[in-house]
Every structure is written in C-alpha cells, then in structure tokens.
Amino acid sequence: MSVAKTGKTIDLLMTESTLSKRRRAAIARGVGVTTQIYAERAENAEIWDAQGQRYIDFAAGIAVVNTGHRHPRVIAAAKKQLERFTHTCHQVVPYENYVALAERLNRLVPGNFVKKTVFVTTGAEAVENAVKIARAATGRSGVVAFSGAFHGRTFLGMSLTGKVAPYKIGFGPLVSDVYRIPFPVELHGISVEQTLNSLENLFKTDIEPTRVAAIIIEPVQGEGGFYPAPPELLKSLREIADRYGIVLIADEIQTGFARTGKLFALEHHDVAADLTTMAKGLAGGFPLAAVTGRSELMDAVVPGGLGGTYGGNPVAIAAGHAVLDVIEEEKLAERAAQLGERLKQCLHKLRPYVPQIADVRGLGLMIAVEFNRVDSQEPDADFTTAVRQKALARGLILLTCGVHGNVIRFLPPLTIQDDVFDEALNVLKSVLLDLNCKEEK
C-alpha cells in the first residue's frame, strides 16, 4: 500500500535498523548514502524495502534506470546473454554484440562525421579515456573544465570536477594541467560573455591554447545544479576548439539516453562534440560506459592503450541494445519532454506559495528547483534538505545537488506510470506547502 495514498509517514528518527548497524560496521565511511532504505525489490518507478515499505523513485539510481527498474525487454536480453556466456574479455576473445552496439552508437551520437566507439565500465573511465584520446591525438596535455562540473571520483575525474565537498577533501594534490573557468548561470550573475572572457584570459595568463588538448563540458550540469549550458556558449566553444585545434568533449553521462527529451542533450543544439562520453542510462542498470567520437581521434591511441578487463561486458552490452530498442519503440524522449513539462508547471504554480523557490529549470525530465532564503536570497541548503527528508518520510525519494546543496533534482524513470507520477507530484506539493504552512488557493 502506498505511503502517499494512506498519509502514513515513516519514523525516520527510529533506532537504527539492524541493516544500518551492519552497514556502518562493514562499509567504509567514505561511501555515503542518501537514505536508510535497503531495497528488497523494484519495478519501474517503485522500490520496496526490506520491511515491505513502498517508495516512489525520483532518483532512478542517479539517471541510470531511465527505462525503469527491471524493464522486461532489458531483463530478457540479459537473461538470453547469460545463457550463452558472461565474460571472455573483448580484448582476448571479442564478440559480435559489442561490435553491433558500437555501430549503433556511431550512428546515433551527434556529429556528421565518421565515428568509432570504445566501451568501458563506468562514467569516470569514459571521461579518463576521452582525455587520453584527446591527448594522444593532439600531442598536448592541458584540459579546460568548468566550475560546478562533475566528471567522476578518480584522480583525473576529481581534478576535472568543479566541486570540493565531498569529492576532493583529503585527496590532494590532484592531476596537473587542469584549468577551470566559470560556468555561466544567469541566476548567479555569471554571463556567457564573462565565461568566454575567462577562457580568453586563461589563454593569456595560464596556458597557451596550442597546449590545450581538450575542453570538457556537460550540456546540462549534473551534480553542479542541473544548469543547462546556454546555446551561445556551446557554439562559441565549438568555434574556439576549431580555431585552436582543441578537442571538444561532451560529457553526456547524466544527460544521455532520452533524459533531456532527446537521445543526447547536444541534439537540442546545432553543435557536435568531437568526443562524447556516456554511461548511466546506457544499459538500464548494468555497468556499461562508452566513448564515441571522430574516427581519426579514436584511432590516435596505439592498440592496447584503450579498454579494460570488464569493458563492454557482454551481458551489459545486450542490455544496452535492449535499452536503445525501448527508447525508440516506447518514444521515451517524447515522454521525457511531456512529463518534464508537467513537473515544471506544477512547480511554477507553487511559486506564489513557496517563496524559497528561486528557479525552476531543465530539459526533458532532467528538472531542478533551486531554493534560496526568503530574507537574503542566499542559497538555502537547510530548506532543501528538509524538502528531501519530508518527501522521503512520505514515500518519495529525491536527490539534492548544487555547489551550495540548495537544489532538488528530479530524475524519475522515463517509463513511470501516469498515476504514480501524479502521486509523486502530490507528495511534492504537500511537502512544499506544509513547510510554508500554506494551502494552495
């Protein structure tokens, strides 16, 4: 029975469960968790915990299960592959479905040029390999990234990431030859012109452009706060990259696979990156990541320089094929756009009653609401945390993000049923109104 439908709440202040105590004793403290929910089973946009409590999942494993938990097509494809073989290491004994998925991505990734693909296991690996490819192709070492960016927890990933807590604390020194410029956010008073001026100033004061191998950007910042990159910024970066022979890398790890209302976020713009990294939604919950890019760049690395023991696992590859089939046949990009618009309309209607709402933004079903203090318009992380916690108590899983921790990001599966989606919006509405002790007129 639904928590939201019955009005029942979960006592989040109860004594730690046995599972929580076991986890704390066995798992490294650095592996943080957002909730104390221990999943027992999941289906589409719903999760049930070990006590049988139901939750609506507006996190989707951080944009991983875009096709929903345990989509029948994805599960069937994985089972079929399990009956054949689970691992040979593609670098030792290759297999056809790896080749076929590479061919599909080469066709689907934005860019009117010949492409090639390499499969790895995680998003951080994809980013690392994209930088390796850019360096090998250009003979240069410098990489330019953005404030607020998130590119992974490896040393290069941390170095590229533009957020200190919790990702960089205690781990320095980080990788050298990484440079950062501000990401344009109108709400925070940073314009595209200021960002581009910062890049030109960087070329004058820190590194000459002919020593820059790559510029890496998320078309919509993920962990940084769900800020879409302005079209004029992407076009300018493309022009600057072409002018100086710099490789433009699009990190589509969180934006990819219909999340933004297009298969890839760059499809919203008349811009193509030289290299595109992807992971998360690619295989519907199975670990799979990829780099797809210009063939001449991809071939700059000597044989053996790319890959990994588990890269392109055959079960994950089979799931990836099924995910692409589901996205196309169920028109999930269109559904993302429709559901995202409904969510934004809901939030906009609440603005007169929730003065903490500073901004509502996003593409497709990659939506965010940013909260500021009413009296000072400073970021309100406390209110944001309260929203997340109260929603969880009513059976709705939400995630926060942003450099200041004052953004709620919404990432439900794109396959979420209409009635479950409406139920979640009602929970969200009641939480925001209750926190302001108001009723919607």
Side-chain angles (χ1 to χ4, degrees), residues 94-111:
Y95 29 92
E96 188 274 341
N97 65 348
Y98 183 115
V99 178
L101 189 58
E103 290 170 338
R104 294 182 76 171
L105 291 178
N106 292 340
R107 292 192 299 269
L108 293 170
V109 168

Side-chain angles (χ1 to χ4, degrees), residues 375-389:
D375 53 354
S376 66
Q377 291 303 302
E378 293 296 313
D380 197 339
D382 291 339
F383 182 83
T384 308
T385 299
V387 172
R388 181 186 65 78
Q389 291 175 339

Side-chain angles (χ1 to χ4, degrees), residues 322-358:
V323 164
L324 290 177
D325 291 340
V326 169
I327 288 173
E328 180 180 0
E329 293 171 18
E330 298 188 14
K331 302 185 185 311
L332 293 189
E334 292 89 336
R335 181 155 179 78
Q338 294 165 359
L339 293 177
E341 189 59 33
R342 285 169 60 185
L343 175 55
K344 285 195 286 189
Q345 287 177 5
C346 173
L347 291 166
H348 281 303
K349 287 180 180 179
L350 288 169
R351 293 190 78 161
Y353 315 103
V354 186
Q356 293 88 348
I357 295 178

Side-chain angles (χ1 to χ4, degrees), residues 125-174:
E125 279 185 275
V127 168
E128 295 246 352
N129 278 278
V131 172
K132 285 165 58 178
I133 291 164
R135 285 179 167 179
T138 63
R140 308 171 182 179
S141 58
V143 183
V144 177
F146 287 85
S147 60
F150 181 81
H151 298 293
R153 290 179 173 86
T154 57
F155 264 92
L156 179 56
M158 283 191 299
S159 303
L160 295 169
T161 290
K163 183 178 179 181
V164 172
Y167 306 113
K168 301 186 183 187
I169 295 174
F171 295 131
L174 301 178

Side-chain angles (χ1 to χ4, degrees), residues 77-96:
K79 285 182 176 178
K80 184 177 180 180
Q81 180 59 46
L82 281 169
E83 293 171 354
R84 299 173 63 210
F85 61 92
T86 62
H87 178 74
T88 64
C89 184
H90 186 265
Q91 291 106 271
V92 178
V93 179
Y95 29 92
E96 188 274 341

Side-chain angles (χ1 to χ4, degrees), residues 391-439:
L392 184 63
R394 299 180 190 185
L396 176 61
I397 300 171
L398 298 175
L399 295 175
T400 60
C401 65
V403 173
H404 303 289
N406 67 320
V407 179
I408 295 283
R409 50 177 158 173
F410 301 96
L411 290 167
L414 309 181
T415 51
I416 186 171
Q417 309 97 309
D418 284 329
D419 61 333
V420 176
F421 189 73
D422 290 339
E423 182 184 346
L425 294 191
N426 286 332
V427 172
L428 177 65
K429 183 188 301 184
S430 68
V431 166
L432 290 171
L433 293 175
D434 287 353
L435 284 170
N436 281 276
C437 299
K438 296 178 180 179
E439 292 184 2

